[in-house]
Amino acid sequence: MADTESNSAASRTFRLAVVNAGISDPSSTKLLADRVAQAVSDLATRRGHRVQVRTIDLRELLPELSGALASGLLGPKFTAAVDALREADGVIASTPVYKAGPSGLFDSFFQVLDNDLLIAKPIALAATAGTARHALVVDEQMRSLFAYLRALSVPTSVFASTEDWQDKSLGSRIDRAAFELLLLMESGFERDVRGESWRRYQHEYGSAGGSELTIDLDTDLMRLATGGSLKPTGSTIEGIDED
Amino acid sequence: MQFGIFSVSDITRDPVTGTTPSEAERIDAVVRMAVKAEEAGLDVFAIGEHHNPPFFSSSPTTLLAHIAALTTRLIVTTSTTLITTNDPVRIAEEYAMLQHLSKGRMDLMLGRGNTAPVYPWFGQDIRQGLPLALEHYNLLHRLWREDVVDWEGHFRTPLQGFTSTPRPLDDVPPFVWHGSIRTPEIAEQAAYYGDGFFANHIFWPKEHTQRMVEFYRQRFEHHGHGTAKQAIVGLGGQTYIAKNSQDAHEEFRPYFNEAPVYGNGPTMEQFTEMTPLTVGSPQEVIDKTLGFRDYVGDYQRQLFLVDHAGLPLDAVLDQIDLLGSEVVPVLRREFASLRDPEVPDAPTHAGLVKAKYGDAQPRQPRPNANRGDNVTGGSPYQDSEAVARSPFGEELG
């Protein structure tokens, strides 16, 4: 489905979701995300591919965030963001650092998502801050969030404090992260994990952004639902006692 | 099609007056709501079950028996009865008793309960909630259909030669609805037994309800109880009605904004857009409710939540009047005209008796004499086949 506009079998069109939690306009956090996205796009072009970018400005979701946090109810913009993430071949996630951590908006957004939405999805992590002293926020806080979500974070973290914007080494980090992200997108890692190993991850009915709709009738619980009995006390119940 | 109201039995501060009703006031109020529901021409009253403040309904069968005694036509039911933390033996006994006292004007809806601390109070564990619910219902189903049950399972102590009393009225078990939001196993169990499936339908967007109902319908057909469209489906809903839409919005907004569960979250406009909640004129409620049929098909029971979030009794009684006078008569007519002729009505005791016995007399179990040790021996009823049993319940060669 990603190959609709490709010229040859090797040329592909990748979908890239670019999430940023920048608040001001213009926002350096959004600028950083866009620079990574541009780098991915340029690299892809050089390698004979195309990239479709979908930008998710989390700021625009603020009016829907309270409902999502309070009752799990996703409004239309939230739903569109989930759709974009689900369909993306790769993700760039960028946040400002506030009070020595990712912004509350950024964390809240990812906390609301289904646990299995981002499984095996390649993601490049970026953060901006007013001081270089926050440089480890990406590695120490953002990585653990995406590890929980079982996304595949690229090795290079992109961090930009105020002084970094004048330092060309920021550009080289951006290029490195972009290249790593593109390689993972090209590799088909996510597709193969989802295609061949999806059942080994925990899912709820209707999860993964509404796409997880398979129902396995061949389980201990389904047998119990249809008048069967469980194994004797002390034994484990498949799907409940084991993960 | 049946229409009614359901309450979760919350005792909530009225955000407009600042007053919290006492337990005594709220219990009286709920009884008046139920009686009003019958007077207004509604068919069903349902009460939830909770075992912690700020709720009062720990003993639904006591309340419902009282309501049944005050009414003549109303069907009393639950929303829901906890199949996890209740002993299925006690559910079998209590609801059979309610069935006798209400002369069959009852059914029940089973749910798991999602309040984690309640489980250990009753010796259970919420992490086992789903297998617990499934196993308990398998037992409950047998207790109402077999005079003498031998049973052994994963969770409850075994039963040997147990008879649940009284036997169901006319030896026809109460009809059971299984309530679930997104658990396919519960829909599968409802389908397997040919029971009803009820979608709470309050907090989730309609896609969740649509998927679960569709799965239940497919499985109902698979298990041989009829075609998919003949499966028995109930829906929750939530309304606040005023003669004109603007008044409804103004009156309900302070209650919505501080409502338990979704209060201080989405705006009322977002919530009405994304969920079945309707705040508006009778016509708006009619239009939205008729739309439910578009995604679940013809269904048998529609219950409305009208009394939560601290709404005072007078307002709730007005809501019931408006439902009964301006909304439900139109819904009855419209749903009936749209309905596929092969779709059955909601099950009633009279209908189930007819299905089981035709024109014959229903069975009326009469116990055998007390053997002297307060039990009746192997065959508890005069019309059951004598089965020789040892005192420990095993059948003897």
Side-chain angles (χ1 to χ4, degrees), chain B residues 354-393:
Chain B
K354 181 88 178 162
K356 179 168 181 177
Y357 298 102
D359 294 327
Q361 283 300 307
R363 177 184 181 221
Q364 301 298 343
R366 295 169 205 280
N368 285 320
N370 189 332
R371 202 169 56 175
D373 54 359
N374 281 341
V375 295
T376 53
S379 169
Y381 294 101
Q382 294 173 18
D383 63 352
S384 29
E385 246 173 76
V387 179
R389 284 175 175 273
S390 80
F392 307 106

mmCIF file of all heavy atoms in Angstrom, chain B residues 354-393:
data_model
loop_
_atom_site.group_PDB
_atom_site.id
_atom_site.type_symbol
_atom_site.label_atom_id
_atom_site.label_comp_id
_atom_site.label_asym_id
_atom_site.label_seq_id
_atom_site.Cartn_x
_atom_site.Cartn_y
_atom_site.Cartn_z
ATOM 1 N N LYS B 354 -44.206 -20.269 27.740
ATOM 2 C CA LYS B 354 -44.895 -20.719 26.528
ATOM 3 C C LYS B 354 -43.935 -21.527 25.642
ATOM 4 O O LYS B 354 -44.294 -22.575 25.103
ATOM 5 C CB LYS B 354 -45.412 -19.483 25.771
ATOM 6 C CG LYS B 354 -46.157 -19.776 24.508
ATOM 7 C CD LYS B 354 -47.625 -19.989 24.802
ATOM 8 C CE LYS B 354 -48.384 -20.243 23.486
ATOM 9 N NZ LYS B 354 -49.694 -20.861 23.742
ATOM 10 N N ALA B 355 -42.712 -21.026 25.523
ATOM 11 C CA ALA B 355 -41.734 -21.725 24.677
ATOM 12 C C ALA B 355 -41.404 -23.096 25.228
ATOM 13 O O ALA B 355 -41.188 -24.050 24.483
ATOM 14 C CB ALA B 355 -40.467 -20.878 24.559
ATOM 15 N N LYS B 356 -41.388 -23.216 26.552
ATOM 16 C CA LYS B 356 -40.997 -24.491 27.140
ATOM 17 C C LYS B 356 -42.158 -25.485 27.171
ATOM 18 O O LYS B 356 -41.974 -26.674 26.925
ATOM 19 C CB LYS B 356 -40.474 -24.276 28.566
ATOM 20 C CG LYS B 356 -40.069 -25.572 29.265
ATOM 21 C CD LYS B 356 -39.284 -25.329 30.545
ATOM 22 C CE LYS B 356 -38.886 -26.661 31.188
ATOM 23 N NZ LYS B 356 -38.066 -26.486 32.386
ATOM 24 N N TYR B 357 -43.345 -24.998 27.495
ATOM 25 C CA TYR B 357 -44.461 -25.934 27.758
ATOM 26 C C TYR B 357 -45.565 -25.886 26.710
ATOM 27 O O TYR B 357 -46.454 -26.730 26.725
ATOM 28 C CB TYR B 357 -45.087 -25.625 29.127
ATOM 29 C CG TYR B 357 -44.136 -25.786 30.291
ATOM 30 C CD1 TYR B 357 -43.541 -24.682 30.890
ATOM 31 C CD2 TYR B 357 -43.832 -27.050 30.795
ATOM 32 C CE1 TYR B 357 -42.675 -24.813 31.965
ATOM 33 C CE2 TYR B 357 -42.965 -27.206 31.870
ATOM 34 C CZ TYR B 357 -42.385 -26.074 32.443
ATOM 35 O OH TYR B 357 -41.531 -26.236 33.505
ATOM 36 N N GLY B 358 -45.547 -24.888 25.842
ATOM 37 C CA GLY B 358 -46.686 -24.740 24.939
ATOM 38 C C GLY B 358 -47.941 -24.479 25.755
ATOM 39 O O GLY B 358 -47.956 -23.595 26.614
ATOM 40 N N ASP B 359 -48.973 -25.274 25.522
ATOM 41 C CA ASP B 359 -50.217 -25.079 26.284
ATOM 42 C C ASP B 359 -50.275 -25.978 27.518
ATOM 43 O O ASP B 359 -51.249 -25.933 28.269
ATOM 44 C CB ASP B 359 -51.429 -25.345 25.387
ATOM 45 C CG ASP B 359 -51.515 -24.304 24.280
ATOM 46 O OD1 ASP B 359 -51.124 -23.139 24.532
ATOM 47 O OD2 ASP B 359 -51.937 -24.665 23.164
ATOM 48 N N ALA B 360 -49.245 -26.797 27.732
ATOM 49 C CA ALA B 360 -49.247 -27.698 28.899
ATOM 50 C C ALA B 360 -48.994 -26.905 30.184
ATOM 51 O O ALA B 360 -48.512 -25.775 30.152
ATOM 52 C CB ALA B 360 -48.172 -28.771 28.714
ATOM 53 N N GLN B 361 -49.328 -27.518 31.313
ATOM 54 C CA GLN B 361 -49.099 -26.882 32.604
ATOM 55 C C GLN B 361 -47.600 -26.880 32.930
ATOM 56 O O GLN B 361 -46.931 -27.890 32.754
ATOM 57 C CB GLN B 361 -49.848 -27.657 33.708
ATOM 58 C CG GLN B 361 -51.345 -27.376 33.726
ATOM 59 C CD GLN B 361 -51.647 -25.903 33.961
ATOM 60 O OE1 GLN B 361 -51.170 -25.309 34.912
ATOM 61 N NE2 GLN B 361 -52.419 -25.300 33.034
ATOM 62 N N PRO B 362 -47.089 -25.789 33.424
ATOM 63 C CA PRO B 362 -45.678 -25.775 33.841
ATOM 64 C C PRO B 362 -45.432 -26.706 35.023
ATOM 65 O O PRO B 362 -46.334 -26.933 35.838
ATOM 66 C CB PRO B 362 -45.433 -24.323 34.252
ATOM 67 C CG PRO B 362 -46.558 -23.544 33.672
ATOM 68 C CD PRO B 362 -47.725 -24.482 33.563
ATOM 69 N N ARG B 363 -44.221 -27.186 35.090
ATOM 70 C CA ARG B 363 -43.835 -28.022 36.222
ATOM 71 C C ARG B 363 -43.860 -27.196 37.511
ATOM 72 O O ARG B 363 -43.399 -26.044 37.524
ATOM 73 C CB ARG B 363 -42.418 -28.557 35.993
ATOM 74 C CG ARG B 363 -41.906 -29.377 37.157
ATOM 75 C CD ARG B 363 -40.452 -29.810 36.955
ATOM 76 N NE ARG B 363 -40.027 -30.609 38.104
ATOM 77 C CZ ARG B 363 -38.839 -30.519 38.695
ATOM 78 N NH1 ARG B 363 -37.927 -29.697 38.230
ATOM 79 N NH2 ARG B 363 -38.558 -31.264 39.736
ATOM 80 N N GLN B 364 -44.390 -27.766 38.591
ATOM 81 C CA GLN B 364 -44.370 -27.112 39.911
ATOM 82 C C GLN B 364 -43.711 -28.076 40.900
ATOM 83 O O GLN B 364 -44.363 -28.947 41.459
ATOM 84 C CB GLN B 364 -45.795 -26.753 40.371
ATOM 85 C CG GLN B 364 -46.537 -25.813 39.430
ATOM 86 C CD GLN B 364 -45.851 -24.447 39.278
ATOM 87 O OE1 GLN B 364 -45.011 -24.075 40.096
ATOM 88 N NE2 GLN B 364 -46.191 -23.723 38.207
ATOM 89 N N PRO B 365 -42.419 -27.935 41.108
ATOM 90 C CA PRO B 365 -41.710 -28.919 41.953
ATOM 91 C C PRO B 365 -42.242 -28.925 43.396
ATOM 92 O O PRO B 365 -42.434 -27.860 43.993
ATOM 93 C CB PRO B 365 -40.259 -28.430 41.919
ATOM 94 C CG PRO B 365 -40.173 -27.551 40.716
ATOM 95 C CD PRO B 365 -41.519 -26.921 40.563
ATOM 96 N N ARG B 366 -42.524 -30.125 43.915
ATOM 97 C CA ARG B 366 -42.947 -30.302 45.312
ATOM 98 C C ARG B 366 -41.900 -31.197 45.968
ATOM 99 O O ARG B 366 -41.679 -32.319 45.520
ATOM 100 C CB ARG B 366 -44.315 -30.993 45.380
ATOM 101 C CG ARG B 366 -45.426 -30.165 44.780
ATOM 102 C CD ARG B 366 -46.708 -30.973 44.607
ATOM 103 N NE ARG B 366 -47.518 -30.398 43.539
ATOM 104 C CZ ARG B 366 -48.305 -29.319 43.689
ATOM 105 N NH1 ARG B 366 -48.433 -28.761 44.870
ATOM 106 N NH2 ARG B 366 -48.982 -28.837 42.675
ATOM 107 N N PRO B 367 -41.278 -30.712 47.043
ATOM 108 C CA PRO B 367 -40.199 -31.499 47.653
ATOM 109 C C PRO B 367 -40.717 -32.782 48.287
ATOM 110 O O PRO B 367 -41.866 -32.844 48.746
ATOM 111 C CB PRO B 367 -39.630 -30.573 48.731
ATOM 112 C CG PRO B 367 -40.191 -29.217 48.443
ATOM 113 C CD PRO B 367 -41.460 -29.411 47.689
ATOM 114 N N ASN B 368 -39.841 -33.769 48.336
ATOM 115 C CA ASN B 368 -40.105 -34.956 49.137
ATOM 116 C C ASN B 368 -40.020 -34.589 50.612
ATOM 117 O O ASN B 368 -39.519 -33.533 50.989
ATOM 118 C CB ASN B 368 -39.079 -36.046 48.804
ATOM 119 C CG ASN B 368 -39.390 -36.680 47.454
ATOM 120 O OD1 ASN B 368 -40.559 -36.918 47.123
ATOM 121 N ND2 ASN B 368 -38.347 -36.925 46.669
ATOM 122 N N ALA B 369 -40.500 -35.499 51.432
ATOM 123 C CA ALA B 369 -40.530 -35.243 52.879
ATOM 124 C C ALA B 369 -39.117 -35.156 53.446
ATOM 125 O O ALA B 369 -38.189 -35.785 52.946
ATOM 126 C CB ALA B 369 -41.310 -36.347 53.576
ATOM 127 N N ASN B 370 -39.019 -34.362 54.474
ATOM 128 C CA ASN B 370 -37.774 -34.265 55.238
ATOM 129 C C ASN B 370 -37.434 -35.653 55.770
ATOM 130 O O ASN B 370 -38.240 -36.291 56.435
ATOM 131 C CB ASN B 370 -38.010 -33.279 56.395
ATOM 132 C CG ASN B 370 -36.733 -32.933 57.116
ATOM 133 O OD1 ASN B 370 -35.782 -33.718 57.149
ATOM 134 N ND2 ASN B 370 -36.704 -31.753 57.702
ATOM 135 N N ARG B 371 -36.229 -36.098 55.468
ATOM 136 C CA ARG B 371 -35.823 -37.456 55.831
ATOM 137 C C ARG B 371 -35.542 -37.562 57.332
ATOM 138 O O ARG B 371 -35.356 -38.636 57.878
ATOM 139 C CB ARG B 371 -34.550 -37.790 55.042
ATOM 140 C CG ARG B 371 -34.240 -39.219 54.860
ATOM 141 C CD ARG B 371 -33.124 -39.361 53.847
ATOM 142 N NE ARG B 371 -31.933 -38.582 54.234
ATOM 143 C CZ ARG B 371 -30.794 -38.618 53.555
ATOM 144 N NH1 ARG B 371 -30.670 -39.353 52.475
ATOM 145 N NH2 ARG B 371 -29.761 -37.883 53.946
ATOM 146 N N GLY B 372 -35.506 -36.438 58.007
ATOM 147 C CA GLY B 372 -35.228 -36.472 59.444
ATOM 148 C C GLY B 372 -33.956 -35.730 59.775
ATOM 149 O O GLY B 372 -33.735 -35.314 60.895
ATOM 150 N N ASP B 373 -33.106 -35.492 58.770
ATOM 151 C CA ASP B 373 -31.874 -34.755 59.011
ATOM 152 C C ASP B 373 -31.862 -33.456 58.216
ATOM 153 O O ASP B 373 -30.815 -32.947 57.824
ATOM 154 C CB ASP B 373 -30.649 -35.616 58.651
ATOM 155 C CG ASP B 373 -30.736 -36.152 57.236
ATOM 156 O OD1 ASP B 373 -31.752 -35.869 56.540
ATOM 157 O OD2 ASP B 373 -29.803 -36.839 56.799
ATOM 158 N N ASN B 374 -33.082 -32.947 57.933
ATOM 159 C CA ASN B 374 -33.268 -31.710 57.186
ATOM 160 C C ASN B 374 -32.850 -31.804 55.724
ATOM 161 O O ASN B 374 -32.692 -30.792 55.062
ATOM 162 C CB ASN B 374 -32.554 -30.525 57.854
ATOM 163 C CG ASN B 374 -33.373 -29.998 59.016
ATOM 164 O OD1 ASN B 374 -34.575 -30.265 59.103
ATOM 165 N ND2 ASN B 374 -32.725 -29.273 59.901
ATOM 166 N N VAL B 375 -32.645 -32.997 55.192
ATOM 167 C CA VAL B 375 -32.461 -33.136 53.748
ATOM 168 C C VAL B 375 -33.441 -34.186 53.239
ATOM 169 O O VAL B 375 -34.097 -34.887 54.018
ATOM 170 C CB VAL B 375 -31.015 -33.503 53.355
ATOM 171 C CG1 VAL B 375 -30.072 -32.378 53.708
ATOM 172 C CG2 VAL B 375 -30.599 -34.800 54.009
ATOM 173 N N THR B 376 -33.549 -34.251 51.961
ATOM 174 C CA THR B 376 -34.586 -35.097 51.375
ATOM 175 C C THR B 376 -34.034 -36.364 50.761
ATOM 176 O O THR B 376 -34.756 -37.134 50.158
ATOM 177 C CB THR B 376 -35.331 -34.323 50.271
ATOM 178 O OG1 THR B 376 -34.371 -33.815 49.357
ATOM 179 C CG2 THR B 376 -36.154 -33.201 50.851
ATOM 180 N N GLY B 377 -32.716 -36.574 50.847
ATOM 181 C CA GLY B 377 -32.152 -37.754 50.206
ATOM 182 C C GLY B 377 -31.853 -37.497 48.753
ATOM 183 O O GLY B 377 -31.815 -36.358 48.311
ATOM 184 N N GLY B 378 -31.668 -38.562 48.009
ATOM 185 C CA GLY B 378 -31.152 -38.451 46.647
ATOM 186 C C GLY B 378 -32.077 -37.760 45.682
ATOM 187 O O GLY B 378 -31.648 -37.127 44.743
ATOM 188 N N SER B 379 -33.379 -37.833 45.905
ATOM 189 C CA SER B 379 -34.309 -37.246 44.963
ATOM 190 C C SER B 379 -35.115 -36.176 45.660
ATOM 191 O O SER B 379 -36.000 -36.459 46.433
ATOM 192 C CB SER B 379 -35.239 -38.335 44.419
ATOM 193 O OG SER B 379 -36.284 -37.748 43.707
ATOM 194 N N PRO B 380 -34.795 -34.909 45.422
ATOM 195 C CA PRO B 380 -35.394 -33.860 46.233
ATOM 196 C C PRO B 380 -36.867 -33.611 45.938
ATOM 197 O O PRO B 380 -37.584 -33.150 46.813
ATOM 198 C CB PRO B 380 -34.557 -32.624 45.877
ATOM 199 C CG PRO B 380 -33.963 -32.919 44.549
ATOM 200 C CD PRO B 380 -33.782 -34.382 44.472
ATOM 201 N N TYR B 381 -37.323 -33.911 44.727
ATOM 202 C CA TYR B 381 -38.696 -33.543 44.371
ATOM 203 C C TYR B 381 -39.513 -34.782 44.008
ATOM 204 O O TYR B 381 -39.001 -35.764 43.501
ATOM 205 C CB TYR B 381 -38.690 -32.524 43.220
ATOM 206 C CG TYR B 381 -38.076 -31.229 43.676
ATOM 207 C CD1 TYR B 381 -36.755 -30.907 43.362
ATOM 208 C CD2 TYR B 381 -38.798 -30.354 44.495
ATOM 209 C CE1 TYR B 381 -36.182 -29.744 43.836
ATOM 210 C CE2 TYR B 381 -38.225 -29.178 44.968
ATOM 211 C CZ TYR B 381 -36.911 -28.875 44.637
ATOM 212 O OH TYR B 381 -36.353 -27.730 45.125
ATOM 213 N N GLN B 382 -40.792 -34.662 44.267
ATOM 214 C CA GLN B 382 -41.676 -35.811 44.096
ATOM 215 C C GLN B 382 -41.738 -36.267 42.647
ATOM 216 O O GLN B 382 -41.959 -37.444 42.373
ATOM 217 C CB GLN B 382 -43.087 -35.455 44.607
ATOM 218 C CG GLN B 382 -43.105 -35.216 46.115
ATOM 219 C CD GLN B 382 -44.439 -34.694 46.599
ATOM 220 O OE1 GLN B 382 -45.451 -34.803 45.905
ATOM 221 N NE2 GLN B 382 -44.452 -34.122 47.797
ATOM 222 N N ASP B 383 -41.563 -35.315 41.718
ATOM 223 C CA ASP B 383 -41.664 -35.716 40.312
ATOM 224 C C ASP B 383 -40.328 -36.053 39.679
ATOM 225 O O ASP B 383 -40.251 -36.342 38.499
ATOM 226 C CB ASP B 383 -42.367 -34.621 39.498
ATOM 227 C CG ASP B 383 -41.570 -33.311 39.505
ATOM 228 O OD1 ASP B 383 -40.565 -33.225 40.252
ATOM 229 O OD2 ASP B 383 -41.960 -32.391 38.778
ATOM 230 N N SER B 384 -39.216 -35.962 40.475
ATOM 231 C CA SER B 384 -37.932 -36.307 39.855
ATOM 232 C C SER B 384 -37.675 -37.794 40.019
ATOM 233 O O SER B 384 -38.145 -38.417 40.962
ATOM 234 C CB SER B 384 -36.784 -35.472 40.419
ATOM 235 O OG SER B 384 -37.030 -35.091 41.724
ATOM 236 N N GLU B 385 -36.893 -38.315 39.080
ATOM 237 C CA GLU B 385 -36.563 -39.721 39.124
ATOM 238 C C GLU B 385 -35.781 -40.008 40.402
ATOM 239 O O GLU B 385 -34.872 -39.264 40.740
ATOM 240 C CB GLU B 385 -35.657 -40.067 37.932
ATOM 241 C CG GLU B 385 -36.287 -40.999 36.934
ATOM 242 C CD GLU B 385 -35.383 -41.140 35.728
ATOM 243 O OE1 GLU B 385 -34.376 -41.854 35.844
ATOM 244 O OE2 GLU B 385 -35.689 -40.495 34.703
ATOM 245 N N ALA B 386 -36.154 -41.088 41.083
ATOM 246 C CA ALA B 386 -35.425 -41.437 42.299
ATOM 247 C C ALA B 386 -34.034 -41.913 41.924
ATOM 248 O O ALA B 386 -33.874 -42.838 41.153
ATOM 249 C CB ALA B 386 -36.169 -42.522 43.061
ATOM 250 N N VAL B 387 -33.046 -41.241 42.449
ATOM 251 C CA VAL B 387 -31.669 -41.659 42.232
ATOM 252 C C VAL B 387 -31.107 -42.036 43.592
ATOM 253 O O VAL B 387 -31.139 -41.237 44.528
ATOM 254 C CB VAL B 387 -30.841 -40.500 41.624
ATOM 255 C CG1 VAL B 387 -29.398 -40.934 41.431
ATOM 256 C CG2 VAL B 387 -31.452 -40.047 40.316
ATOM 257 N N ALA B 388 -30.638 -43.281 43.697
ATOM 258 C CA ALA B 388 -30.077 -43.692 44.987
ATOM 259 C C ALA B 388 -28.732 -43.018 45.175
ATOM 260 O O ALA B 388 -27.889 -43.053 44.295
ATOM 261 C CB ALA B 388 -29.920 -45.210 45.014
ATOM 262 N N ARG B 389 -28.559 -42.365 46.310
ATOM 263 C CA ARG B 389 -27.317 -41.662 46.563
ATOM 264 C C ARG B 389 -26.769 -42.059 47.917
ATOM 265 O O ARG B 389 -27.517 -42.287 48.856
ATOM 266 C CB ARG B 389 -27.549 -40.139 46.569
ATOM 267 C CG ARG B 389 -27.710 -39.584 45.191
ATOM 268 C CD ARG B 389 -28.066 -38.113 45.260
ATOM 269 N NE ARG B 389 -28.094 -37.589 43.893
ATOM 270 C CZ ARG B 389 -27.016 -37.126 43.271
ATOM 271 N NH1 ARG B 389 -25.871 -37.050 43.883
ATOM 272 N NH2 ARG B 389 -27.117 -36.701 42.037
ATOM 273 N N SER B 390 -25.493 -42.086 47.997
ATOM 274 C CA SER B 390 -24.879 -42.254 49.296
ATOM 275 C C SER B 390 -24.999 -40.924 50.036
ATOM 276 O O SER B 390 -25.292 -39.901 49.430
ATOM 277 C CB SER B 390 -23.404 -42.622 49.122
ATOM 278 O OG SER B 390 -22.677 -41.448 48.846
ATOM 279 N N PRO B 391 -24.784 -40.911 51.324
ATOM 280 C CA PRO B 391 -24.847 -39.636 52.059
ATOM 281 C C PRO B 391 -23.837 -38.626 51.530
ATOM 282 O O PRO B 391 -23.948 -37.441 51.814
ATOM 283 C CB PRO B 391 -24.511 -40.042 53.499
ATOM 284 C CG PRO B 391 -24.741 -41.497 53.574
ATOM 285 C CD PRO B 391 -24.512 -42.041 52.201
ATOM 286 N N PHE B 392 -22.857 -39.071 50.788
ATOM 287 C CA PHE B 392 -21.851 -38.139 50.289
ATOM 288 C C PHE B 392 -22.149 -37.707 48.862
ATOM 289 O O PHE B 392 -21.354 -37.044 48.228
ATOM 290 C CB PHE B 392 -20.457 -38.775 50.376
ATOM 291 C CG PHE B 392 -20.171 -39.283 51.752
ATOM 292 C CD1 PHE B 392 -20.176 -40.640 52.025
ATOM 293 C CD2 PHE B 392 -19.964 -38.386 52.794
ATOM 294 C CE1 PHE B 392 -19.936 -41.092 53.304
ATOM 295 C CE2 PHE B 392 -19.729 -38.847 54.079
ATOM 296 C CZ PHE B 392 -19.724 -40.205 54.350
ATOM 297 N N GLY B 393 -23.304 -38.146 48.357
ATOM 298 C CA GLY B 393 -23.730 -37.598 47.081
ATOM 299 C C GLY B 393 -23.418 -38.450 45.877
ATOM 300 O O GLY B 393 -23.938 -38.207 44.801
#
